[in-house]
């Protein structure tokens, strides 16, 4: 197992360190190599995705990523900003399928801002397309019009094969779950997503056992809060998926709990927490490392086909939670508030016991 470890910026290095310890705790034969990305890449090589980092990622079976971004880079030209490094590595590795599970651990029901009865038992898989849409569509840019006024342009676009391949991922996942796919679009207004809906309907003929439904994105945002347990698999484009997955994370108590996998057509993948670099709490050892640790479990499951060790990590996380350990973001009265590294240690010791 060859893994590229890209800690990135902000809390990235702290949370990745804990995830690496958990991986080491499994005592598998892994080769891990670290490289800079995002602001760290810019500092090291003047590029948010240095060539050496990209090459390492290409040569590895999987990538473990922390997070990118810091306010101090906000003034850089757009192509030098940390986020661009992340978007480029997704594109360069063809990681078109982003899986973001929103799973509520029963111990955290009271940490959610929603009523426990609304979220208890929640288990949603958000399948977000990751290499297309308005994130990458051309033309784009800011230009000056004849009258001297500036105009910003981005282009939402999807072709049929891009929609089909992400749709297949969603249907295949649904077959292993509760056989329900909800495709989220804005087909009442946007042609791009009108095509999205048509292609999903055509594709559904290959999966007669799966119940396909459609929802406009505004309604989906509302339904996620009103009655989130109606969803099994949600499939949507890049920008809607970005927004809905942040929303869904709060159902689970904290965005600090949400792992993610970004896969190519051969299940090579990049694994990262769904949250960002949180520069405001960086270096304080208070971040929640569980999303990153759970991302390692996804890595074992999806890239290395090692369900047993994936479950071992997930069970160790459950054990740490049921033993009462909580980082600040999921702390509630009566539990034990711990630091980032203490949470990591709690998971490692739950692995071996
Ligand atoms: C995410 C993040 C990224 C995205 C940013 C950091 C570019 O919000 O992974 O959800 O928009 O995809
Ligand atoms: Mg996001």
């Amino acid at each position: 197992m060859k893994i590229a470890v890209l800690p990135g910026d902000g809390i990235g290095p702290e949370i990745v360190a804990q995830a690496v310890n958990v991986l080491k705790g499994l005592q598998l034969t892994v080769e891990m190599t670290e490289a800079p990305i995002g602001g760290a890449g810019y500092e090291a090589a003047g590029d948010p995705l240095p060539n050496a980092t990209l090459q390492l990622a290409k040569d590895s079976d999987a990538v473990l990523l922390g997070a990118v971004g810091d306010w101090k880079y906000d003034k850089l030209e757009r192509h030098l900003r940390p986020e661009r490094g992340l978007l480029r590595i997704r594109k360069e590795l063809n990681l078109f399928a982003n899986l973001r599970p929103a799973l509520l651990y029963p111990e955290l029901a009271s940490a959610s801002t929603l009523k426990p009865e609304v979220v208890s038992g929640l288990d949603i898989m958000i399948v977000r397309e990751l290499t297309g849409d308005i994130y990458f569509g051309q033309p784009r840019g800011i230009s000056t019009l004849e009258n001297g006024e500036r105009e910003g342009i981005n282009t939402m676009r999807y072709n049929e094969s891009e929609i089909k391949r992400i749709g297949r991922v969603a249907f295949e996942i649904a077959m292993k779950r509760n056989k329900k796919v909800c495709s989220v679009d804005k087909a009442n207004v946007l042609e791009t997503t009108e095509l999205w809906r048509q292609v999903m309907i055509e594709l559904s003929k290959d999966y007669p056992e799966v119940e396909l439904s459609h929802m406009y994105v505004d309604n989906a945002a509302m339904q996620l809060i009103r009655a989130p347990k109606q969803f099994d698999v949600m499939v949507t484009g890049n920008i809607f998926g970005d927004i809905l997955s942040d929303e869904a994370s709060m159902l689970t108590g904290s965005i600090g709990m949400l792992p993610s996998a970004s896969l190519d057509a051969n299940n090579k993948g990049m694994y990262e927490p769904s949250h960002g670099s949180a520069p405001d709490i960086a270096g304080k050892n208070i971040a929640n490392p569980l999303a990153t640790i759970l991302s390692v479990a996804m890595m074992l499951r999806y890239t290395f086909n090692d369900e047993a060790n994936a479950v071992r990590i997930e069970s160790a996380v459950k054990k740490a939670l049921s033993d009462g350990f909580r980082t600040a973001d999921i702390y509630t009265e009566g539990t034990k508030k711990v630091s980032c590294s203490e949470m990591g240690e709690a998971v490692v010791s739950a692995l071996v016991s």
Side-chain angles (χ1 to χ4, degrees):
M1 288 160 53
K2 233 184 139 215
I3 301 170
V5 178
L6 316 181
D9 309 320
I11 57 171
E14 309 161 40
I15 54 179
V16 164
Q18 298 313 316
V20 164
N21 284 343
V22 170
L23 189 54
K24 285 183 181 157
L26 293 174
Q27 316 226 318
L28 307 170
T29 316
V30 282
E31 186 190 322
M32 290 189 261
T33 313
E34 230 179 80
I37 192 169
Y42 176 75
E43 302 286 355
D47 184 345
L49 180 60
N51 279 333
T53 301
L54 178 60
Q55 201 50 52
L56 172 72
K58 284 185 172 164
D59 294 341
S60 304
D61 305 307
V63 179
L64 177 64
L65 180 94
V68 301
D70 196 317
W71 304 303
K72 65 181 176 209
Y73 304 112
D74 281 355
K75 294 222 161 60
L76 287 177
E77 277 179 66
R78 195 158 281 275
H79 74 280
L80 295 175
R81 287 196 206 154
E83 292 75 14
R84 193 49 76 87
L86 180 60
L87 296 176
R88 266 188 56 212
I89 196 171
R90 288 174 178 169
K91 191 75 173 174
E92 294 271 359
L93 299 181
N94 227 339
L95 306 172
F96 68 90
N98 185 215
L99 315 185
R100 295 189 163 179
L103 189 94
L104 181 81
Y105 288 84
E107 292 82 3
L108 298 185
S110 60
S112 174
T113 48
L114 296 191
K115 295 194 193 93
E117 63 266 29
V118 175
V119 290
S120 70
L122 182 88
D123 181 358
I124 303 177
M125 178 65 90
I126 297 186
V127 178
R128 167 190 177 194
E129 201 289 331
L130 203 59
T131 53
D133 203 353
I134 196 163
Y135 269 58
F136 295 93
Q138 295 289 342
R140 66 186 298 157
I142 300 175
S143 57
T144 306
L145 300 175
E146 275 172 18
N147 67 4
E149 190 186 16
R150 285 167 302 161
E151 181 186 48
I153 302 179
N154 290 93
T155 308
M156 178 178 263
R157 56 197 309 165
Y158 266 124
N159 61 38
E160 219 176 323
S161 52
E162 287 172 315
I163 302 171
K164 215 177 251 169
R165 66 178 183 176
I166 192 69
R168 276 209 187 283
V169 170
F171 280 104
E172 292 291 340
I173 289 177
M175 286 297 288
K176 295 185 198 146
R177 296 173 44 108
N178 293 324
K179 301 196 168 73
K180 277 165 56 178
V181 170
C182 178
S183 169
V184 176
D185 61 42
K186 188 73 185 173
N188 50 346
V189 178
L190 303 170
E191 286 81 356
T192 312
T193 71
E194 189 183 326
L195 176 68
W196 177 283
R197 186 178 286 219
Q198 286 167 12
V199 173
M200 288 296 163
I201 292 170
E202 289 155 19
L203 192 58
S204 70
K205 307 214 162 74
D206 293 350
Y207 299 90
E209 283 171 62
V210 177
E211 177 195 321
L212 173 67
S213 62
H214 306 274
M215 209 178 265
Y216 297 139
V217 63
D218 49 350
N219 185 27
M222 189 265 277
Q223 295 295 339
L224 268 175
I225 300 299
R226 193 187 73 84
K229 283 187 273 180
Q230 69 185 286
F231 298 110
D232 176 22
V233 175
M234 297 178 98
V235 62
T236 191
N238 206 344
I239 184 92
F240 297 161
D242 178 44
I243 298 164
L244 292 180
S245 60
D246 262 37
E247 188 190 5
S249 73
M250 275 319 290
L251 306 172
T252 71
S254 165
I255 194 166
M257 293 300 299
L258 246 76
S260 82
S262 306
L263 305 175
D264 74 2
N266 306 308
N267 286 341
K268 172 173 176 157
M270 185 160 83
Y271 298 84
E272 54 177 314
S274 290
H275 59 72
S277 53
D280 53 326
I281 60 165
K284 296 187 179 158
N285 196 24
I286 58 172
N288 184 347
L290 293 180
T292 319
I293 291 170
L294 290 166
S295 298
V296 173
M298 291 189 87
M299 175 188 292
L300 292 165
R301 172 170 297 124
Y302 290 101
T303 293
F304 297 113
N305 255 314
D306 185 351
E307 181 67 21
N309 277 307
V311 170
R312 245 180 107 196
I313 293 180
E314 289 161 351
S315 307
V317 167
K318 279 185 201 138
K319 173 84 171 33
L321 291 174
S322 63
D323 286 348
F325 296 105
R326 301 285 190 277
T327 42
D329 57 315
I330 49 175
Y331 174 76
T332 46
E333 228 180 276
T335 60
K336 288 173 243 168
K337 197 186 271 185
V338 294
S339 66
C340 175
S341 52
E342 285 167 337
M343 183 60 107
E345 283 152 22
V347 175
V348 172
S349 55
L351 274 182
V352 292
S353 63

